[in-house]
Amino acid sequence: MAADSSELWPELSAFFKITPQTRVYLDASYARGKESDTRSLDLTGAVDVSLQPLFREYLRGVQLPAEDWQRSRYLWTRIGYTRVLKSSDGSTSVAEDRIHAALYAKIELPAQVWLEARVRSDLRWLGGDFASRQRLRFEVNREFTVQAHSVVPYLQVEGSYDTRYHGLSRTLYQPGAEITIDPHFRLELYYARQEDRLPERESVNALGLVAKWYY
């Protein structure tokens, strides 16, 4: 088993509200490994659409009292496209083109704690090969107010099934927190532990910082 590697994952995100039910999501995420010269840049564009709860009829038409689009919804979907660029030894290439669709849902637990689930499917073109990846993520979070600023600590656990290896290829553990600076800007800081099982066992420890703009 290879030794754990360490990486930095800075990220820029922007959200543009189009209608009360839809918004556009743009994102650029960068990964830099401390132990290698490999760099990667993921560029994403997506559309978020709010849905009516399927099984909890009493929630239909109800929105939560939150200033953020995502936190005020019980059920929503995201459909988007990502291009992955990688640079190594001074050369840059397109490592992957990806179409992805995800469904998000949430329920309230005691003590104002929320459980959120995400089911996501990735259709991936890696060079001349095609593969798909299925991802299931659970998140527990709770919102606090600190000196008039919203602070949301969370814990995420995600598993990925990769059709290239016909098995559970990756598990991601991610504790973090999102801090509202003002109505249009938020910062998210997290630690990520990524454990790959297939095609070989290796682990990554990463520190992530996400700057988010809302319009």
Side-chain angles (χ1 to χ4, degrees):
M1 179 176 177
D4 293 356
S5 61
S6 301
E7 295 186 358
L8 298 174
W9 294 353
E11 187 172 348
L12 301 176
S13 298
F15 301 83
F16 300 89
K17 185 177 178 180
I18 306 302
T19 72
Q21 290 76 37
T22 60
R23 67 177 182 178
V24 171
Y25 165 65
L26 301 177
D27 184 83
S29 59
Y30 176 78
R32 177 172 64 88
K34 291 183 177 180
E35 289 81 13
S36 70
D37 65 347
T38 301
R39 309 287 189 267
S40 67
L41 177 64
D42 293 16
L43 302 174
T44 297
V47 176
D48 296 340
V49 180
S50 177
L51 304 175
Q52 294 289 352
L54 299 176
F55 303 109
R56 295 174 290 174
E57 294 186 4
Y58 63 95
L59 295 178
R60 294 181 181 177
V62 177
Q63 292 188 9
L64 296 171
E67 62 185 37
D68 178 75
W69 189 96
Q70 180 174 336
R71 293 182 200 163
S72 64
R73 280 151 176 81
Y74 289 96
L75 186 69
W76 57 286
T77 187
R78 171 174 291 169
I79 301 174
Y81 165 78
T82 297
R83 167 156 284 192
V84 181
L85 304 174
K86 285 197 174 181
S87 175
S88 182
D89 299 325
S91 62
T92 302
S93 62
V94 177
E96 179 181 344
D97 289 296
R98 182 189 310 153
I99 296 175
H100 44 88
L103 181 67
Y104 298 75
K106 65 192 299 183
I107 60 173
E108 188 173 11
L109 303 178
Q112 297 181 313
V113 175
W114 289 89
L115 173 63
E116 299 189 13
R118 184 190 74 176
V119 179
R120 171 170 162 165
S121 180
D122 295 340
L123 303 179
R124 311 171 69 193
W125 287 264
L126 303 105
D129 298 324
F130 172 79
S132 66
R133 180 172 58 192
Q134 315 306 320
R135 303 162 64 175
L136 177 61
R137 187 181 77 187
F138 292 100
E139 175 182 313
V140 177
N141 64 61
R142 189 188 190 282
E143 184 173 2
F144 297 89
T145 300
V146 179
Q147 296 184 347
H149 294 278
S150 171
V151 178
V152 183
Y154 66 83
L155 173 63
Q156 294 179 357
V157 179
E158 180 180 81
S160 299
Y161 178 92
D162 197 319
T163 59
R164 291 177 297 173
Y165 315 118
H166 304 288
L168 181 64
S169 61
R170 173 177 294 172
T171 304
L172 180 68
Y173 306 93
Q174 183 174 309
E178 183 186 71
I179 304 170
T180 297
I181 307 302
D182 62 43
H184 296 288
F185 183 65
R186 299 183 181 194
L187 281 176
E188 179 183 346
L189 179 66
Y190 65 86
Y191 161 78
R193 169 74 177 182
Q194 180 177 288
E195 298 181 352
D196 290 329
R197 296 179 178 85
L198 299 170
E200 61 183 18
R201 287 187 173 273
E202 59 181 4
S203 299
V204 175
N205 298 306
L207 289 176
L209 179 64
V210 188
K212 302 178 179 181
W213 284 268
Y214 294 82
Y215 302 98

